[in-house]
Amino acid sequence: MSTALAVFVVQQEFSDSAWKKSAPVIVGEQGATIYLGQDESENLRKVQKAGRQLDNLGVSSAKLSGEGWDFERQWAFANGYTDTRSTNKLEWASNSEALTQTRNVVNWTRELVNLPPMDIYPEALAQRVAEKLESLAPEKVSSRVIKGDELLQEGWMGIHTVGRASKRPPCMLVVDYNPTGNADAEIDTVLVGKGITFDSGGYSLKSSEGMLAMKCDMGGAATVAGALGLAIEQGLQKRVQLVLCCAENLVDGSAYLLGDIITYKNGLTVEVVNTDAEGRLVLADGLQYAGEVGAKRVIDAATLTGAAQVAVGNEYNALFSVDDELANKALSTAAAQRENLWRLPLQPWHKENTPSAFADCANSRPQKGGGTGGASNAAGFLLRFAPNDGKGWLHFDIAGAYHNSANAMWATGATALGVRTIAALLQD
C-alpha cells in the first residue's frame, strides 16, 4: 500500500472558506488538490509553487493522481517538489519513462552544481562528466582530459592562466559522442561549458558573502553536460562534442595579475583588467577548439555575468547571438520546453567595448561589473573567438541556474534551467 500523498489537479476555482484563494495547494483528507484556471502559463507556475509548498510542509513522498496531469504539469510539480538534496520521492501519473529519464539527468546536473568545492574540483568535474556520459552510451562516447602544463603544450592559454594558482591543476575535458561509427563524421555541434569549480575572484578578490556560492561557477559546464546526457538518453543521432573548460580561480604567488597579457592560440592578445572576469578567458579556449574541429553549430553556457542576472533576474536565462535565425530557433525551443529564455543585445561592435591600449582587447572594463552593458560586452569579448564571426553560435548566460536561498518556485541551489532547451536544440 502506497504511503505517498495523493496530489490532484482540478480545473476550477475552489470555494473552501478555510483556505486563502492565493494558496497554491489545498490539503484535505483525500490528499492535496491544486485548483487551476484558464491561463496555462499561470497554471504551471501554480503547480510548481504547490510542489514547493508541499516540500516545505515536510511531505517526503507524493503521487500525482487523477486526470489532468500532462507532461508539463508533472514536470512543473517536480521542479517545485525537488528539495536541495533531491531526496523527495515522486510517482508520476503518466509519461513515467520520459519524466523519470529527464528527472534523473536534471537531478544529476543539480547535484554537480550543489557539491562542495572540496569534492568538485577541475579533474573531479571532468571525471564525473566523462564517466556519466560514457555510461549512457559506452560504445559511442570517448573522452580525453588535457591537464596542467599539457594545456600550454596544446595552446590552451586561457584555462591554464586562470587555473595555474591552484594546487589542483586546470584541465580541458573533450567528450566525443559519435553515434555514426565513422571517425570522419561531421561534427554537428560543439557544446562549451564554463567549469570554474571555485571562484575567489583572484586578485580582484570577492567579498566573503560574494564568494560563498562560488561553487556554482561551474554551472555552465554542468548544464551543457546534462543537456548532452539528456539528448543521448532521448536517442540523439548526431555527432556532438562537449568541451569543458575547468579551473579554480585562486590566489597565490603564481596567480595571474592585473595588467598581465595573455596571447591566445589564434594570436589575439588580451590584457587582464579584472581577474574576476575569468569565465570568458577560459571559454575563449573552448570556442577556438570548436572552430578547429569545424563544428556546424557552437553552443556555450556559463554563469558569466552578474549583469545578466540584473537584467533578467533569477527566473530567466539570457541568450546572446549575432545569428538571428539560430537565436529565434533557440527562443522558440525554450518556449516549447517551458524554460524561460530572453535575448539580450549583441552586435559585432560589442567586440570593441573592452578596449586596451596594451593588447588587442581587455577582458573587461576596469569598472564595477564591467560597466554599463556588462553582459553584452562580455558576449562581445567571446564573439572575438567564436568561429565564423558568430554564425551558428549561441551564448547562454545562465542567470537562473542557481539560487542562494529558496523561494516560492525553487529550492536553494541549482535549478538546471537550460538543460531541456539545449538538449532539444541538439535534436533539431
Side-chain angles (χ1 to χ4, degrees):
M1 180 177 178
S2 174
T3 57
L5 177 72
V7 183
F8 303 88
V9 288
V10 178
Q11 198 84 32
Q12 67 181 57
E13 290 189 9
F14 77 96
S15 56
D16 188 337
S17 59
W19 292 82
K20 294 180 179 179
K21 288 189 175 183
S22 60
V25 62
I26 311 301
V27 181
E29 293 182 1
Q30 302 302 314
T33 304
I34 306 167
Y35 290 86
L36 303 180
Q38 299 304 312
D39 185 331
E40 188 58 17
S41 293
E42 285 302 310
N43 286 342
L44 293 176
R45 284 179 55 81
K46 189 172 187 180
V47 167
Q48 185 165 340
K49 287 180 179 179
R52 188 90 293 281
Q53 183 167 309
L54 291 177
D55 176 64
N56 287 332
L57 288 172
V59 176
S60 63
S61 182
K63 180 180 181 179
L64 305 182
S65 305
E67 303 295 328
W69 285 109
D70 63 13
F71 184 99
E72 293 300 341
R73 288 177 180 179
Q74 291 182 85
W75 184 247
F77 183 88
N79 280 332
Y81 186 60
T82 299
D83 61 338
T84 298
R85 298 183 184 180
S86 300
T87 59
N88 290 343
K89 297 179 180 178
L90 181 59
E91 299 178 43
W92 309 107
S94 61
N95 303 106
S96 58
E97 183 177 353
L99 283 161
T100 299
Q101 188 181 77
T102 304
R103 194 178 194 216
N104 287 343
V105 172
V106 163
N107 281 350
W108 173 77
T109 304
R110 288 172 173 152
E111 180 188 11
L112 275 183
V113 181
N114 289 338
L115 282 170
M118 62 187 289
D119 293 334
I120 199 75
Y121 47 91
E123 274 190 275
L125 173 59
Q127 181 179 3
R128 284 174 182 261
V129 169
E131 288 179 352
K132 176 67 172 180
L133 297 178
E134 287 169 3
S135 73
L136 296 178
E139 297 181 359
K140 301 174 182 178
V141 173
S142 60
S143 65
R144 64 186 291 247
V145 176
I146 309 161
K147 182 179 71 173
D149 287 345
E150 294 174 357
L151 293 162
L152 293 177
Q153 295 166 17
E154 298 201 21
W156 306 123
M157 305 303 298
I159 300 171
H160 186 274
T161 298
V162 171
R164 71 190 185 205
S166 173
K167 69 178 183 180
R168 300 190 283 200
C171 63
M172 174 189 278
L173 170 68
V174 179
V175 175
D176 187 5
Y177 172 71
N178 187 359
T180 70
N182 177 7
D184 297 321
E186 178 183 54
I187 298 172
D188 182 79
T189 305
V190 168
L191 300 172
V192 181
K194 175 186 172 184
I196 302 296
T197 56
F198 188 78
D199 182 19
S200 72
Y203 276 104
S204 303
L205 196 67
K206 294 178 182 289
S207 66
S208 179
E209 295 78 9
M211 207 184 297
L212 178 60
M214 283 300 103
K215 64 182 183 181
C216 82
D217 215 16
M218 38 65 68
T223 297
V224 289
L228 179 55
L230 181 56
I232 291 172
E233 290 268 63
Q234 294 170 340
L236 179 64
Q237 293 302 309
K238 300 175 182 178
R239 187 179 185 185
V240 173
Q241 291 195 349
L242 172 75
V243 180
L244 302 188
C245 307
C246 308
E248 289 180 319
N249 187 23
L250 302 183
V251 176
D252 79 352
S254 66
Y256 70 121
L257 305 174
L258 295 155
D260 277 354
I261 293 177
I262 304 171
T263 302
Y264 278 90
K265 196 173 186 179
N266 63 1
L268 193 74
T269 58
V270 175
E271 181 190 7
V272 177
V273 301
N274 185 350
T275 62
D276 197 21
E278 85 297 329
R280 64 202 72 179
L281 295 177
V282 303
L283 287 175
D285 284 339
L287 293 174
Q288 287 178 98
Y289 174 90
E292 286 187 0
V293 299
K296 291 168 57 180
R297 296 185 300 175
V298 183
I299 301 173
D300 79 66
T303 50
L304 202 65
T305 66
Q309 195 170 23
V310 170
V312 302
N314 281 333
E315 295 78 24
Y316 280 78
N317 286 333
L319 175 70
F320 298 84
S321 183
V322 292
D323 186 330
D324 290 340
E325 183 179 354
L326 186 57
N328 289 334
K329 182 63 181 176
L331 292 169
S332 63
T333 300
Q337 298 296 320
R338 298 289 185 172
E339 291 193 322
N340 293 331
L341 182 66
W342 196 265
R343 189 179 183 187
L344 292 180
L346 179 62
Q347 296 293 333
W349 49 260
H350 277 104
K351 292 189 291 186
E352 310 304 324
N353 279 10
T354 54
S356 168
F358 302 98
D360 295 323
C361 68
N363 71 324
S364 184
R365 285 181 169 177
Q367 303 168 28
K368 185 175 181 179
T372 57
S376 295
N377 296 340
F381 175 89
L382 294 178
L383 181 56
R384 289 178 174 270
F385 296 90
N388 304 318
D389 296 321
K391 180 69 174 176
W393 169 61
L394 296 173
H395 165 52
F396 287 76
D397 197 334
I398 52 174
Y402 190 88
H403 290 233
N404 290 330
S405 58
N407 58 31
M409 300 287 286
W410 300 96
T412 301
T415 68
L417 184 70
V419 167
R420 288 182 62 192
T421 295
I422 297 173
L425 284 168
L426 293 179
Q427 297 282 14
D428 181 48

